[in-house]
Amino acid sequence: MAAAETAKHTYVYDFAEGNKDLKDLLGGKGANLAEMTNLGLPVPPGFTITTEACQAYLATGEQPAGLAEQIDTHLAALEATRGKRLGDPADPLLVSVRSGAKFSMPGMMETVLNVGLNDESVAGLSAQAGGNDRFAWDSYRRLIQMFGKTVCEVPGEEFEHALDEAKRAKGTGNDLDLDADDLRALVGTYKKIFSKHTGREFPQDPREQLDLAIRAVFDSWNADRAVLYRRQERIPADLGTAVNVVAMVFGNLGSDSGTGVAFTRDPATGAQGIYGDYLANAQGEDVVAGIRNTVPLQELERIDKRSYDELLRIMATLEGHYRDLCDIEFTIERGKLWMLQTRVGKRTAAAAFIIAAQLVDEGIIDLDEALHRVTGAQLAQLMFPRFDLGGAPEVLAKGVGASPGAAVGKAVFDSQRAVELAKQGEPVILVRRETNPDDLPGMIAAQGILTSRGGKTSHAAVVARGMGKTCVCGADSLEVDVRGGQFTVGGHTVREGDMISVDGTTGCVYRDKVQVQPSAVVRYFEGDVTPETTEDPLVAAVHRIMSHADAARRLRVRTNADTGPDAARARRFGAEGIGLCRTEHMFLGDRRELVERLILARTDEERQAALAALLPLQRADFVEIFREMDGLPVTVRLIDPPLHEFLPPLEELAVNVAVAQARGEDAAKDEALLAAVRRMHEQNPMLGLRGVRLGLVIPGLFAMQVRAIAEAAAERARDGGDPRPEIMVPLVGAVQELETVRAEAEKIIAEVRREQSVEILIGTMIEVPRAALTAGQIAEAAQFFSFGTNDLTQMGWGFSRDDVEGAFFWRYLELGIFGISPFESIDREGVGRLVRIAVDEGRAARPGLKVGVCGEHGGDPESVHFFHEVGLDYVSCSPFRVPVARLEAGRAAVESAGSDSR
Ligand code: PEP
Ligand code: MG
């Protein structure tokens, strides 16, 4: 306990004291610097101030007690190691102060280099660099610039402007042409800018510089752009950042110095090799700023073979140690290589699969680990069609890839126009500055959506994702002129009707029509290619990892399908049955007329006649589906949605009747229909006459459906098939509802069974909160449960599912009320709690009760993990998401097995 107490108050760790598993405390950068230090790699010495110190500072506005002393101690140790004192006029130690949170937030927070320089130590630095005055004054001006901007909020443009002026005066465009005198003069100008904005002189005390820089890094955690980034990436707001204080090494000391970045494998394709860039005589910020062109890393072999060879050795060590692709930042100071950073590198979705499979082949990781390293989101990305970039299409702009896919169409600038053109069969891309609920019809009509403002949580992004529509947001180089019906970008004008192509995965916007390629991964799932018939390493990698996921998972994966072709496709994608066959659509089209007759029936005979006409049609539907899913369970849900959806809209009918009456025509049929529509009109149809309520109110409706299912199964069995029907009753809230339906259904099944024996289960959806809360009672009457998490979310939150995503979810996401729509990913605490209660109480009442889920969440990666945890038997999702669910079910199984054994 005493040790834990002390550890809690340790706010500063030397690099030699940390390791890569301490990311929570030391941030990603600090933890990895520690790991490299302990591997004996050449890391400049330094120390890390913990995220706990940052949290304490952000909570109180004061540095926590003890922090200043601990910094003193570690700084003294650093000075001793380097044999120099911070800012010593004769021989200064300089340090960099760098942020580093647990999760990488590229470019979001702050860094200050060259801390420790002042009017005196600049001379000492020059002496250290062998009398290189130019270098010393350049370093000083960089400090004032970075410190001014980061720590004291001096507008960065003022410094840039002064630098440009100095170059102009010298008649050059290149920083390197400025000599020591120019830079000394520039330092004078910079200091004036600094004091004009801050009302004080540039701090000359090195320790004050250090303290202010540390504080600024802490504060940068709450800078607007960092807050926004965290919200978009769903990084918790309370983690705080660590601060790394590192002895400076210089890549800008001459041609024997330089800086670079490297990957141990190609992060785009996963191919093994040396990938990276090098820039001689430069510091890291020059690479980022793109001031001069880098050279491929291979060139370093020619420039400095010793450093190159050492770098390759280190890269191999890091890959072996991290057992993964690493990315690296390094600096060479006068022929001496220094490692400034490493981390497990980001990669494309395809590379994630390929690298994981490669590492298995190389014996570095096992298949469980490979499965852990890929995600369903990556697999989903690989299943979208992609643009064929072979012809190097012209990129007009780049925004945020907000909803994946490749969309091609004519640019249109207002919603109504999008609808008009789409009606004429034209593909369109709706281009707006930003969207609002009025744009919904246009968004629905468009192939894709492009906005110049907003990010991943903007209205356009949220709604497009909900619709599964391609969307690029925040392409801020576009000047969108909605009135003028055009946008301009980099001198180009795109007018209404011009073709554009948008890539919702990469955020790229292309001029003209770019060819779309089908996904190799989908072709694999379709059975068009196999690892044996293609050289594509992606297909082999996906095959290998999917096979392992299938072997590992405990959850079965079914599909939501209500036609034969959908069922067949889902089966090819690996579906192990149908978890939801919605029967509503079977009543549309030319059958609508029969449904109208059923609803309007005034006598039993009329109703029976309508039902008798529907029966053979329904039976034929089920025969086809049972055939496609032969040998696998098929859950057929009795009709669910509100009846008004089957009748003409009230306004339209009223107009027809009025017109007919005015003309003196016979409107008897429409009048009867209008009366019925009026009678059935509901203010809130989603909470009205739906589901089981409908079955109990319209005599014979459910009975007809049950008979169609039983007879179809009997027909299949007679023909040698193996049908496995399950009848599911929707929207049950009380066991009595289910009992009533079940009693009638069992009678019909028994009648059919007299001729042909087929086993048929009867179960219920759990989608009304009351059903979840009384699941113990309901389980007495149900042979299975299937969670309808769409309705359970709607009714659990009181959110109208058809309205809220377009109306206000973007605002909820912006405010961080939730990080993702609860219709997209299960709300674990609320709706998830209802699920848990129902599973536990249902199984307590009926041990071994089969339980699945058929709401949209069944195909959402995060939610699949939740359903694994609560012990469901299966998830069911749309055919296209079946592979994603299989993969995530496998990941959930290996991850929970891993944590059980820990
Ligand atoms: C559900 O509510 O989750 C469900 C699957 O049913 P539907 O979406 O058809 O209401
Ligand atoms: Mg439902």
Side-chain angles (χ1 to χ4, degrees):
M1 194 61 219
E5 273 307 298
T6 321
K8 202 167 147 221
H9 293 104
T10 301
Y11 288 121
V12 185
Y13 285 69
D14 191 86
F15 287 167
E17 294 170 326
N19 67 59
K20 70 176 178 3
D21 299 323
L22 292 179
K23 288 199 181 70
D24 283 334
L25 192 64
L26 304 178
K29 189 178 289 166
N32 288 324
L33 282 168
E35 190 76 9
M36 286 200 292
T37 302
N38 290 321
L39 281 172
L41 302 183
V43 176
F47 53 87
T48 303
I49 302 167
T50 63
T51 53
E52 284 176 358
C54 176
Q55 289 157 13
Y57 167 80
L58 292 176
T60 61
E62 296 294 330
Q63 294 208 357
L67 177 59
E69 295 73 29
Q70 291 180 36
I71 293 175
D72 285 343
T73 312
H74 284 266
L75 184 59
L78 180 59
E79 289 175 333
T81 314
R82 296 295 272 179
K84 296 179 181 12
R85 273 192 311 109
L86 183 72
D88 182 346
D91 184 15
L93 167 71
L94 304 185
V95 294
S96 64
V97 179
R98 295 168 185 266
S99 61
K102 176 178 179 187
F103 300 105
S104 135
M105 296 171 55
M108 287 301 135
M109 290 182 304
E110 305 295 1
T111 290
V112 187
L113 303 181
N114 302 337
V115 168
L117 271 180
N118 57 23
D119 293 351
E120 292 179 3
S121 62
V122 68
L125 180 65
S126 168
Q128 266 176 27
N132 189 340
D133 275 353
R134 185 197 180 280
F135 159 74
W137 285 102
D138 190 40
S139 300
Y140 193 18
R141 73 98 193 151
R142 284 174 194 255
L143 168 66
I144 302 171
Q145 185 164 354
M146 266 190 251
F147 190 95
K149 189 168 158 224
T150 304
V151 182
C152 302
E153 292 173 16
V154 179
E157 314 83 73
E158 296 227 12
F159 294 119
E160 278 148 31
H161 183 68
L163 179 61
D164 288 343
E165 270 304 305
K167 285 191 276 190
R168 203 173 3 254
K170 190 90 181 175
T172 178
N174 189 341
D175 291 10
L176 291 179
D177 291 336
L178 297 178
D179 63 22
D181 287 339
D182 301 325
L183 291 163
R184 182 185 291 117
L186 193 57
V187 163
T189 314
Y190 273 17
K191 284 207 248 170
K192 283 199 195 104
I193 294 172
F194 184 93
S195 51
K196 181 179 94 190
H197 281 278
T198 62
R200 59 165 293 182
E201 296 300 312
F202 180 75
Q204 293 293 313
D205 174 1
R207 183 55 203 266
E208 187 189 1
Q209 289 176 4
L210 178 62
D211 287 338
L212 290 174
I214 291 170
R215 224 171 239 265
V217 173
F218 283 162
D219 284 331
S220 69
W221 177 255
N222 281 334
D224 288 349
R225 59 186 172 164
V227 170
L228 194 67
Y229 182 86
R230 282 201 296 275
R231 221 178 265 149
Q232 288 186 355
E233 299 299 317
R234 301 195 209 123
I235 296 174
D238 55 0
L239 296 179
T241 179
V243 185
N244 299 291
V245 177
V246 193
M248 282 296 303
V249 290
F250 296 97
N252 52 346
L253 274 173
S255 58
D256 57 354
S257 304
T259 188
V261 293
F263 294 89
T264 56
R265 293 171 196 238
D266 185 341
T269 65
Q272 280 162 296
I274 307 298
Y275 295 88
D277 300 302
Y278 181 70
L279 188 58
N281 198 10
Q283 279 191 311
E285 75 215 64
D286 302 331
V287 180
V288 179
I291 294 169
R292 278 180 287 142
N293 287 340
T294 57
V295 297
L297 188 59
Q298 282 84 345
E299 295 270 309
L300 181 61
E301 184 170 21
R302 194 179 43 76
I303 301 168
D304 178 354
K305 174 132 175 57
R306 217 164 50 96
S307 296
Y308 180 75
D309 289 344
E310 187 180 1
L311 184 65
L312 293 202
R313 271 198 306 279
I314 290 174
M315 281 163 67
T317 305
L318 286 173
E319 250 217 13
H321 186 72
Y322 283 86
R323 302 183 307 130
D324 206 347
L325 171 149
C326 295
D327 73 27
I328 290 161
E329 282 177 27
F330 65 92
T331 278
I332 298 174
E333 184 184 76
R334 292 204 173 128
K336 161 88 182 125
L337 176 67
W338 293 100
M339 303 304 294
L340 299 191
Q341 177 170 327
T342 192
R343 65 186 168 193
V344 167
K346 294 214 159 75
R347 62 206 71 188
T348 62
F353 277 85
I354 295 171
I355 292 171
Q358 275 170 354
L359 293 171
V360 173
D361 286 338
E362 291 165 24
I364 296 171
I365 60 173
D366 63 14
L367 273 165
D368 277 3
E369 180 64 24
L371 187 52
H372 176 64
R373 288 189 185 181
V374 295
T375 66
Q378 287 167 332
L379 184 65
Q381 242 186 53
L382 294 171
M383 291 177 69
F384 282 103
R386 308 217 257 149
F387 286 128
D388 176 358
L389 300 179
E394 185 184 343
V395 179
L396 283 175
K398 194 158 187 315
V400 179
S403 180
V408 180
K410 292 184 168 172
V412 287
F413 296 83
D414 80 84
S415 174
Q416 210 182 331
R417 191 76 188 119
V419 173
E420 282 163 22
L421 282 178
K423 270 204 185 128
Q424 294 162 23
E426 298 281 1
V428 297
I429 305 284
L430 181 64
V431 186
R432 307 281 294 165
R433 272 196 209 111
E434 57 209 341
T435 60
N436 64 47
D438 292 340
D439 292 315
L440 274 180
M443 295 174 79
I444 293 167
Q447 304 294 309
I449 297 139
L450 168 63
T451 69
S452 59
R453 295 204 194 130
K456 277 192 180 157
T457 58
S458 63
H459 176 267
V462 173
V463 176
R465 276 201 300 277
M467 294 178 185
K469 193 146 289 194
T470 301
C471 176
V472 171
C473 287
D476 54 10
S477 56
L478 298 189
E479 288 281 335
V480 178
D481 173 5
V482 170
R483 285 230 188 103
Q486 62 176 43
F487 70 79
T488 49
V489 57
H492 294 295
T493 300
V494 172
R495 300 197 169 76
E496 182 181 301
D498 292 350
M499 275 290 191
I500 54 171
S501 304
V502 296
D503 186 330
T505 307
T506 62
C508 283
V509 182
Y510 300 97
R511 199 176 161 85
D512 298 332
K513 176 178 175 156
V514 180
Q515 285 305 328
V516 176
Q517 271 180 338
S519 146
V521 172
V522 169
R523 296 188 62 219
Y524 158 71
F525 286 129
E526 288 280 10
D528 295 344
V529 293
T530 67
E532 290 75 38
T533 60
T534 171
E535 301 271 284
D536 187 344
L538 178 59
V539 169
V542 167
H543 173 72
R544 187 119 185 245
I545 294 173
M546 286 304 290
S547 307
H548 188 62
D550 286 337
R553 68 191 156 89
R554 202 199 59 221
L555 276 173
R556 300 289 95 200
V557 177
R558 298 196 195 178
T559 191
N560 295 357
D562 40 40
T563 65
D566 269 2
R569 171 172 235 217
R571 196 165 187 172
R572 290 195 298 277
F573 279 18
E576 296 158 305
I578 290 183
L580 173 61
C581 171
R582 290 181 168 102
T583 51
E584 296 82 64
H585 94 272
M586 300 170 177
F587 290 76
L588 298 176
D590 48 10
R591 300 180 191 176
R592 191 188 278 267
E593 166 94 38
L594 292 174
V595 177
E596 276 180 20
R597 270 169 46 195
L598 175 67
I599 296 169
L600 297 177
R602 267 166 304 196
T603 63
D604 235 20
E605 290 72 44
E606 280 178 15
R607 184 177 309 111
Q608 285 309 329
L611 288 168
L614 281 166
L615 177 67
L617 303 173
Q618 278 266 273
R619 191 170 49 221
D621 295 330
F622 297 135
V623 166
E624 190 189 351
I625 290 170
F626 293 152
R627 185 183 304 117
E628 295 298 352
M629 279 289 166
D630 197 55
L632 295 173
V634 173
T635 307
V636 180
R637 182 177 73 183
L638 302 180
I639 187 166
D640 178 15
L643 262 199
H644 75 284
E645 286 189 12
F646 293 103
L647 297 173
L650 190 120
E651 298 78 10
E652 194 182 303
L653 259 183
V655 171
N656 289 352
V657 169
V659 169
Q661 283 171 345
R663 289 187 183 146
E665 293 165 4
D666 174 21
K669 186 166 171 260
D670 276 357
E671 279 170 17
L673 207 51
L674 179 61
V677 170
R678 286 222 166 97
R679 204 171 55 240
M680 275 178 228
H681 179 74
E682 292 172 308
Q683 293 297 343
N684 213 336
M686 281 304 245
L687 299 179
L689 186 59
R690 291 178 60 193
V692 66
R693 304 161 194 174
L694 196 62
L696 296 175
V697 166
I698 301 196
L701 177 59
F702 275 10
M704 181 277 291
Q705 290 199 292
V706 171
R707 182 173 294 281
I709 295 166
E711 289 182 357
E715 184 179 326
R716 283 293 305 145
R718 261 195 307 274
D719 291 348
D722 179 12
R724 310 255 174 111
E726 302 175 343
I727 293 176
M728 178 156 76
V729 184
L731 229 72
V732 163
V735 67
Q736 293 85 346
E737 291 170 317
L738 182 61
E739 280 168 350
T740 310
V741 172
R742 187 175 165 182
E744 187 184 16
E746 278 175 343
K747 253 194 248 146
I748 296 165
I749 292 169
E751 268 172 47
V752 177
R753 197 182 277 152
R754 257 180 251 134
E755 307 194 354
Q756 176 72 47
S757 160
V758 188
E759 171 87 25
I760 303 181
L761 302 183
I762 300 178
T764 181
M765 295 193 71
I766 302 288
E767 53 181 346
V768 174
R770 190 180 187 283
L773 297 172
T774 59
Q777 292 171 14
I778 291 178
E780 305 275 352
Q783 289 174 294
F784 63 88
F785 281 178
S786 176
F787 287 99
T789 45
N790 303 334
D791 272 306
L792 205 54
T793 303
Q794 162 164 271
M795 296 186 216
W797 278 87
F799 281 155
S800 162
R801 46 195 272 209
D802 294 336
D803 300 314
V804 287
E805 294 210 301
F808 63 83
F809 263 26
W810 58 275
R811 182 68 182 143
Y812 267 47
L813 290 161
E814 203 171 76
L815 291 170
I817 293 172
F818 36 64
I820 184 168
S821 159
F823 286 108
E824 201 177 325
S825 194
I826 190 96
D827 152 34
R828 283 177 174 248
E829 294 98 27
V831 178
R833 177 126 195 270
L834 289 170
V835 172
R836 271 183 204 277
I837 291 170
V839 172
D840 294 348
E841 298 190 2
R843 289 214 174 117
R846 185 189 278 259
L849 176 74
K850 186 159 61 163
V851 184
V853 56
C854 62
E856 286 304 307
H857 305 85
D860 166 65
E862 258 299 304
S863 311
V864 170
H865 286 248
F866 173 76
F867 297 131
H868 170 90
E869 277 167 36
V870 297
L872 297 201
D873 296 295
Y874 68 87
V875 295
S876 187
C877 55
S878 62
F880 213 66
R881 290 168 104 186
V882 165
V884 172
R886 284 164 52 201
L887 183 80
E888 289 294 351
R891 296 185 68 223
V894 301
E895 281 166 21
S896 62
S899 59
D900 291 348
S901 64
R902 237 170 258 146

